[in-house]
């Protein structure tokens, strides 16, 4: 019964996220990294149909044979699919068709869940729920990008608040002694395969900030010429700045001599005390260099996390996305979930204001290309010399 309740809660939340949208908002794809909300709703439904219902519910008939081509994301072993850049060209199936698809699959899943399921099947269902929760976060980030690049900058929901301001003015550093720390997931709760296996890591003495970098602090970097001084940047990051003419975080606009940014309520003045958001790894590393510090590694972050307040922003780390010792891919399509992306990505830790409830944990490893910043990403500083 609990599994069925969890299924209903997760599925309803996806629809709730899309409730403020107009029909036209469901089909927009401004850039390759952003998928239309309609596609997210269809893809998460396809996951349950493909991996749960077709192989495990006797007599199940798939809703539409063409939907495997439309809503498969990157699973090579499941068949051909629409090229990611073409998701915005999918005027059909219509939004109403996708909603019917969700209802059809949900009813079938209820039939499956009305009977006892094996431990193996339960594990797969829980993976599907966590997969949909990942897409719920992507729904929020993609919706913000879609509306935040609409020339009218319309509000998503004027009643939706962002993160709280950082009230403390003085930033303290948590001192972490050198030693061996245990990294990775353990226990019976859910985790993704990239959080395994738990292993020992030796860390030198380091200090990590107890707070995130604020808008005011990042603005000081901008006003000091941070975006025009190559000395702070990785070579690749400096090329990115020049090629894209980047001068501020994503969604920031300099209007009438003041900085404003696009929020859930539309265009609003930048609040100085709020943690800076929508920052690329390149920008985070450059800011840290300008401050004479660095970003923490993902292992330093995990070791210190129990003593930190986290969850407002996904925090860039200084770690490349690589497999842990003993990492193994699951057989079949499920094995494509994480392992094949362990190249050219940087790890982020924590969570954000749009991370679903109960979807955050200290061992969670998010990962993105260093140039991306449409996620709710921020900066936490670290340093090696404890006496500065």
């Amino acid at each position: 019964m609990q599994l069925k309740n969890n299924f209903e809660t997760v599925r309803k939340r996806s629809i709730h996220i899309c409730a403020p949208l107009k029909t036209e908002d469901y089909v927009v794809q401004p850039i390759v990294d952003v998928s239309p909300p309609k596609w997210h709703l269809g893809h998460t439904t396809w996951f349950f149909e493909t991996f749960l219902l077709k192989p495990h519910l006797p007599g199940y008939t798939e809703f539409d044979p063409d939907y495997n081509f439309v809503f498969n994301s990157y699973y090579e072993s499941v068949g051909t699919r629409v090229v990611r850049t073409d998701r915005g060209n999918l005027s059909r199936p219509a939004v109403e068709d996708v909603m019917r698809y969700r209802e059809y699959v949900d009813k079938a899943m209820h039939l499956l869940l009305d009977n006892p399921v094996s431990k193996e099947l339960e594990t797969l269902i829980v993976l599907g729920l966590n997969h949909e929760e990942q897409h719920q976060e992507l729904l929020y980030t993609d919706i913000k990008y879609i509306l935040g690049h609409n020339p009218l900058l319309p509000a998503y929901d004027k009643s939706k608040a962002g993160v709280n301001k950082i009230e403390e003015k003085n930033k303290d550093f948590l001192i972490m002694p050198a030693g061996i720390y245990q990294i990775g997931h353990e226990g019976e709760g859910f985790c993704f395969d990239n959080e395994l296996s738990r292993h020992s890591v030796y860390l030198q003495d380091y200090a990590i900030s107890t707070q995130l970098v604020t808008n005011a602090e990042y603005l000081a970097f901008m006003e000091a010429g941070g975006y025009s001084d190559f000395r702070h940047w990785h070579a690749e990051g400096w090329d990115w700045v020049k090629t894209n003419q980047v001068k501020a975080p994503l969604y920031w606009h300099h209007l009438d001599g003041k900085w404003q940014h696009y929020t859930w309520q539309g265009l609003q003045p930048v609040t100085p005390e709020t943690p800076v958001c929508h920052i690329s790894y390149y920008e985070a590393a450059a800011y840290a260099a300008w401050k004479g510090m660095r970003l923490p590694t993902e292992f330093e972050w995990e070791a210190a996390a129990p003593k930190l307040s986290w969850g407002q922003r996904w925090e860039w780390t200084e770690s490349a996305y690589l497999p842990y010792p003993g990492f193994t891919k699951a057989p079949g399509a499920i094995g494509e979930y994480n392992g094949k992306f362990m190249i050219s990505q940087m790890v982020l830790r924590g969570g954000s204001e749009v991370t679903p409830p109960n979807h955050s944990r200290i061992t969670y490893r998010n990962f993105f290309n260093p140039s991306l910043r449409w996620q709710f990403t921020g900066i936490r500083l670290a340093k090696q010399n404890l006496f500065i």
Side-chain angles (χ1 to χ4, degrees), residues 46 49 54 62-72 80-82 90 92-93 101:
W46 167 88
E49 181 178 62
K54 290 168 70 174
E62 63 183 325
F63 183 80
D64 188 322
D66 288 336
Y67 281 17
N68 187 70
F69 176 71
V70 172
F71 293 121
N72 182 3
T80 58
R81 59 203 181 280
V82 171
L90 292 168
R92 306 293 174 88
Y101 180 38

Side-chain angles (χ1 to χ4, degrees), residues 66-317:
D66 288 336
Y67 281 17
N68 187 70
F69 176 71
V70 172
F71 293 121
N72 182 3
S73 55
Y74 52 71
Y75 297 91
E76 298 285 350
S77 54
V78 182
T80 58
R81 59 203 181 280
V82 171
V83 177
R84 184 174 183 178
T85 53
D86 288 347
R87 291 174 185 172
N89 296 333
L90 292 168
S91 59
R92 306 293 174 88
V95 174
E96 59 185 2
D97 296 326
V98 173
M99 295 302 185
R100 281 197 292 267
Y101 180 38
R102 288 184 69 89
E103 293 173 3
Y104 180 87
V105 167
D106 285 356
K107 288 180 180 178
M109 283 295 299
H110 289 159
L111 292 176
L112 183 66
L113 293 169
D114 280 339
N115 298 297
V117 298
S118 66
K119 186 65 176 178
E120 181 181 1
L121 194 57
E122 180 180 352
T123 299
L124 192 54
I125 293 169
V126 172
L127 175 62
L129 295 178
N130 278 270
H131 168 259
E132 180 142 357
E133 287 179 322
Q134 284 187 314
H135 278 271
Q136 288 170 353
E137 186 153 7
L138 287 170
L139 266 171
Y140 271 125
T141 55
D142 289 358
I143 288 169
K144 184 172 183 180
Y145 195 96
I146 289 167
L147 299 180
H149 286 78
N150 181 309
L152 298 178
L153 298 175
Y156 162 74
D157 181 353
K158 291 188 177 181
S159 65
K160 182 173 176 58
V163 302
N164 296 325
K165 298 178 181 180
I166 296 177
E167 299 296 340
E168 297 180 31
K169 302 302 180 183
N170 297 321
K171 275 191 163 44
D172 294 324
F173 278 81
L174 173 66
I175 296 175
M176 297 292 290
I180 297 175
Y181 294 86
Q182 298 301 306
I183 300 298
H185 188 268
E186 67 175 348
E188 297 298 319
F190 174 83
C191 75
F192 289 109
D193 58 1
N194 65 359
E195 299 171 57
L196 300 172
S197 294
R198 190 165 176 84
H199 59 288
S200 299
V201 172
Y202 178 80
L203 300 176
Q204 296 282 359
D205 293 336
Y206 68 99
I208 186 169
S209 177
T210 58
Q211 297 183 36
L212 299 177
V213 172
T214 65
N215 285 329
E217 291 170 319
Y218 195 82
L219 183 57
F221 166 71
M222 294 164 55
E223 292 176 340
Y227 280 99
S228 58
D229 190 339
F230 71 90
R231 294 175 299 172
H232 309 309
W233 298 82
H234 291 96
E236 188 175 292
W238 185 239
D239 289 342
W240 174 80
V241 167
K242 293 187 295 181
T243 299
N244 297 282
Q245 298 184 331
V246 181
K247 298 179 180 179
L250 183 64
Y251 300 122
W252 282 39
H253 303 273
H254 199 246
L255 303 171
D256 299 324
K258 297 181 180 179
W259 283 105
Q260 300 189 60
H261 62 157
Y262 178 77
T263 70
W264 300 119
Q265 298 83 32
L267 199 61
Q268 299 287 334
V270 169
T271 49
E273 303 88 358
T274 302
V276 69
C277 195
H278 300 297
I279 292 291
S280 70
Y281 165 80
Y282 297 140
E283 292 166 294
Y287 176 85
W290 175 71
K291 291 289 289 185
M293 301 187 210
R294 59 176 176 82
L295 304 177
T297 68
E298 65 166 319
F299 309 121
E300 290 173 334
W301 189 97
E302 185 172 326
K307 300 178 181 180
L308 299 174
S309 175
W310 54 270
Q312 292 186 316
R313 302 282 185 252
W314 282 106
E315 303 174 29
W316 287 106
T317 73

